[in-house]
């Protein structure tokens, strides 16, 4: 590795990521010029590319490439009875307490995990902020009042439903209440028979959907980790509960298969093994529909937290929707000549959380020749920009013209940018910081000098982001070279075929 002194993969802080995201056009606070909307974020020009790449790869690897998978794209507003049948109206709640004085609202089980404000009678009412769960070191009192204002009594816990409520049509009345979906999953259950019949599916098979979900989270936060509007990609994988695979009940076998496949997927696109772990839900933690749930946890900048969940939902959902709709949601088992209600294994992924994990894992600070270099070492298929074309001298028309032509040609296949707004060293650093895997530099040697009668060699310099090595490649070869590099080819193999550039 040329000229590199130290390589330090950082446990990056959330503040560093938030600032990079804003500065380089990945993610902005929503409605920022109005002071921002709580816990809502807008994906900027690079963020939208990254997010689309994540969704495209998920779709390619889990839907397009599998004969046992199909997709749907359902509407966000569904029949309100869906949420009665699914249990969301009754169970999708958090117990809340309100301060009678300052009116702040808290999750009942969070109150004693917060630092609390105390006006201490033993010190003439002086105000103290006391660590969560600890008593006052002066008077020995424990928290009984609002942890924030320290004055108000808290109400008894009340259940608060996390679904966003709205009204369909012009009249705001109970009969027209509708909900923004809190998960994408239910559309797969209510469309089970439509998909089964129209696509002539055979068990086991899965239906996938990627789209927005909404939850009126009481304690959103940690940037895009927990927001009120987010994107999910969920798969409902239907299996015949009477079947066995490798001597095990089919639902249990497929549950473990999906856990392994999802783990492998995250690692394939760059998450390090040591930053991932499985977490089995305790029996008392399981959702009302689940026989077993395993989370894939990631070591986020805020600590180990859920990246996605993979649940065995049994036949709960299909049975509930059959009961509430009066329609049969069964599968005819030709071999056994009987109708069965399939079991469902559900890999449920948060796209925004996946994006946060990919960014955190890709972030590296290095020291190169005494200078700090920030690099997002994105997998090439995730990188928002694949190639940056940079002219070495922007005052030479022929160099600029050739560079722009190369960009236009490569952009037919990939996201490629042109930049001439700084010196080359600075341009490289900018591309490193947003994770662009390759830069192409056009220089005097490429185009020659017509005034001196010197012909160009028609070659450009390609620079590899991670090794910072450079190779001299003919312009005509660029599409094939990038095709190889961007679809998994190793830099070392490509570079070995061309002379190194300095
Ligand atoms: N259908 C099951 C289901 O929705 P979940 O564990 O509630 O399960 C699945 O959500 C995934 O969706 C989570 O693992 C997480 O990645 C993402 N997710 C859930 N709530 C979120 C929120 N408020 N903000 C961002 N992502 C969220």
């Amino acid at each position: 590795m040329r000229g590199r002194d130290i390589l330090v993969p950082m446990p990056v802080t959330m503040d560093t990521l938030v600032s990079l995201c804003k500065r380089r056009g990945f993610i902005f606070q929503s409605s920022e010029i109005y002071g921002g909307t709580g816990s809502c974020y807008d994906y900027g020009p690079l963020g939208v590319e990254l997010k689309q790449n994540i969704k495209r790869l998920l779709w390619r690897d889990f839907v397009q490439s599998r004969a046992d998978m199909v997709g749907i794209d359902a509407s966000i507003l569904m029949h309100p009875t869906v949420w009665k049948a699914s249990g969301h109206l009754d169970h999708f709640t958090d117990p809340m307490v309100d301060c009678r004085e300052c009116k702040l609202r808290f999750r009942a089980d969070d109150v004693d995990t917060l630092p609390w404000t105390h006006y201490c009678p033993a010190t003439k009412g002086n105000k103290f902020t006391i660590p969560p769960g600890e008593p006052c070191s002066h008077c020995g009192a424990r928290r009984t009042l609002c942890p924030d204002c320290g004055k108000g009594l808290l109400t008894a816990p009340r259940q608060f439903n996390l679904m966003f409520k709205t009204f369909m049509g012009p009249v705001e009345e109970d009969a027209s209440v509708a909900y923004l979906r809190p998960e994408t999953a239910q559309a797969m259950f209510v469309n089970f028979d439509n998909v089964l019949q129209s696509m002539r599916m055979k068990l086991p098979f899965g239906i996938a959907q990627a789209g927005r979900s909404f939850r009126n989270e009481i304690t959103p936060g940690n940037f895009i980790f927990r927001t009120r509007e987010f994107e999910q990609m969920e798969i409902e994988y239907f299996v015949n509960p009477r079947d066995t695979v490798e001597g095990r009940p089919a639902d249990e076998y497929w549950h473990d298969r999906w856990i392994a496949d999802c783990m492998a997927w995250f690692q394939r696109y760059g998450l390090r093994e040591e930053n991932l772990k499985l977490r089995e839900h305790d029996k008392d933690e399981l959702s009302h529909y689940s026989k077993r749930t395993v989370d894939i946890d990631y070591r986020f900048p805020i600590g180990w937290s859920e990246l996605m969940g993979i649940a065995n939902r049994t036949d709960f959902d299909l049975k509930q929707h059959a009961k509430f709709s009066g329609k049969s949601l069964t599968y005819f088992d030709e071999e056994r000549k009987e109708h069965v209600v399939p079991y469902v294994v559900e890999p449920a992924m948060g796209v925004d959380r996946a994006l946060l994990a990919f960014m955190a894992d890709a972030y590296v600070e290095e020291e190169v020749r005494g200078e700090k270099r920030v690099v997002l070492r994105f997998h090439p298929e995730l990188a928002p920009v694949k190639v940056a074309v940079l002219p070495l001298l922007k005052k030479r028309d022929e160099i600029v013209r050739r560079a722009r032509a190369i960009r236009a040609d490569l952009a037919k296949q990939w996201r490629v940018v042109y930049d001439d707004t700084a010196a080359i060293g600075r341009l490289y650093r900018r591309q490193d910081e947003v994770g662009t895997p390759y830069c192409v530099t056009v220089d005097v040697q490429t185009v020659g000098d017509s005034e001196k009668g010197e012909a160009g060699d028609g070659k450009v310099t390609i620079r590899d982001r991670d090794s910072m090595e450079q190779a001299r490649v003919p312009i005509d070869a660029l599409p094939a070279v990038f095709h190889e590099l961007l679809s998994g080819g190793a830099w070392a193999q490509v570079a070995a075929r061309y002379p190194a550039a300095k």
Side-chain angles (χ1 to χ4, degrees), residues 183 215 217 225 227 230 232 234 306-308 346 350:
E183 62 173 17
R215 295 181 189 178
E217 300 278 6
F225 180 83
T227 52
F230 54 97
Q232 290 185 307
E234 295 193 286
E306 177 186 335
L307 174 58
M308 71 172 295
E346 178 194 68

Side-chain angles (χ1 to χ4, degrees), residues 75-317:
S75 68
I76 287 171
L77 296 171
M78 301 180 74
H79 194 288
T81 311
V82 167
W83 308 113
K84 184 72 190 155
S86 68
H88 282 84
L89 274 175
D90 297 326
H91 299 292
F92 200 53
T93 54
D94 273 340
M96 306 301 305
V97 292
D98 295 299
C99 172
R100 294 186 196 278
E101 194 75 25
C102 70
K103 310 294 178 209
L104 269 185
R105 178 167 277 192
F106 306 89
R107 272 174 63 147
D109 41 8
D110 272 356
V111 183
D112 282 320
T113 65
L114 303 169
W116 58 286
T117 301
H118 178 52
Y119 293 91
C120 175
T123 61
K124 298 186 182 157
N126 281 344
K127 181 181 173 187
F128 296 98
T129 303
I130 300 176
E134 290 186 15
C136 171
S137 57
H138 303 282
C139 68
R142 291 196 171 268
R143 186 203 62 75
T144 51
L145 304 172
C146 168
D148 196 72
C149 71
K151 292 179 180 161
L153 284 168
L154 297 176
T155 60
R158 280 182 294 216
Q159 291 300 329
F160 172 82
N161 197 294
L162 300 187
M163 281 195 294
F164 278 98
K165 212 185 228 183
T166 185
F167 299 93
M168 294 261 247
V171 188
E172 292 195 11
E173 58 182 17
D174 284 353
S176 59
V177 163
Y179 300 92
L180 301 188
R181 68 180 176 203
E183 62 173 17
T184 55
Q186 295 304 320
M188 272 84 91
F189 301 128
V190 301
N191 277 300
F192 170 76
D193 200 52
N194 283 336
V195 173
L196 183 70
Q197 302 306 337
S198 60
M199 306 305 288
R200 296 175 305 283
M201 304 303 289
K202 296 268 175 268
L203 289 180
F205 75 90
I207 310 178
Q209 175 171 216
R212 301 239 171 198
S213 293
F214 302 82
R215 295 181 189 178
N216 200 0
E217 300 278 6
I218 309 308
T219 45
N222 291 315
F223 195 32
I224 54 168
F225 180 83
R226 179 169 286 110
T227 52
R228 296 196 170 106
E229 174 179 351
F230 54 97
E231 268 190 88
Q232 290 185 307
M233 162 125 175
E234 295 193 286
I235 292 167
E236 306 304 328
Y237 196 76
F238 300 96
V239 303
N240 190 334
R242 303 280 308 276
D243 284 349
T244 53
V245 187
E246 295 177 6
R248 301 174 59 203
D251 60 313
E252 295 179 12
Y253 168 86
W254 280 107
H255 195 189
D256 281 333
R257 267 288 290 274
W258 275 106
I259 293 166
D261 286 355
C262 291
M263 261 302 212
W265 189 86
F266 282 115
Q267 289 178 44
R268 174 173 170 195
Y269 294 107
L271 298 193
R272 276 165 287 182
E273 198 180 352
E274 65 266 29
N275 290 338
L276 289 163
K277 69 178 179 196
L278 297 178
R279 193 182 73 81
E280 193 86 32
H281 280 213
D282 290 336
K283 287 273 171 279
D284 58 357
E285 189 193 350
L286 288 176
S287 306
H288 58 281
Y289 51 72
S290 176
K291 168 175 163 185
R292 178 186 172 220
T293 298
V294 174
D295 286 346
I296 296 184
D297 282 4
Y298 177 74
R299 197 201 304 258
F300 284 97
I302 49 168
W304 286 101
S305 306
E306 177 186 335
L307 174 58
M308 71 172 295
I310 303 140
N312 182 342
R313 296 181 74 127
T314 68
D315 54 8
F316 174 85
D317 302 273

Side-chain angles (χ1 to χ4, degrees), residues 432-495:
D432 289 342
E433 207 184 12
V434 298
T436 307
Y438 303 103
C439 289
V440 166
T441 310
V442 182
D443 55 24
V444 180
Q445 234 184 310
T446 315
V447 298
D449 189 336
S450 54
E451 282 177 19
K452 291 186 189 159
E454 290 169 7
D457 66 3
K459 293 179 180 171
V460 289
T461 299
I462 302 185
R463 172 186 180 267
D464 171 52
R465 175 196 68 201
D466 296 344
S467 65
M468 293 187 292
E469 287 172 1
Q470 304 187 357
R472 195 81 186 154
V473 176
I475 293 174
D476 291 352
L478 288 177
V481 162
F482 284 126
H483 185 76
E484 182 176 346
L485 287 171
L486 294 170
S487 55
W491 165 259
Q493 267 180 3
V494 172

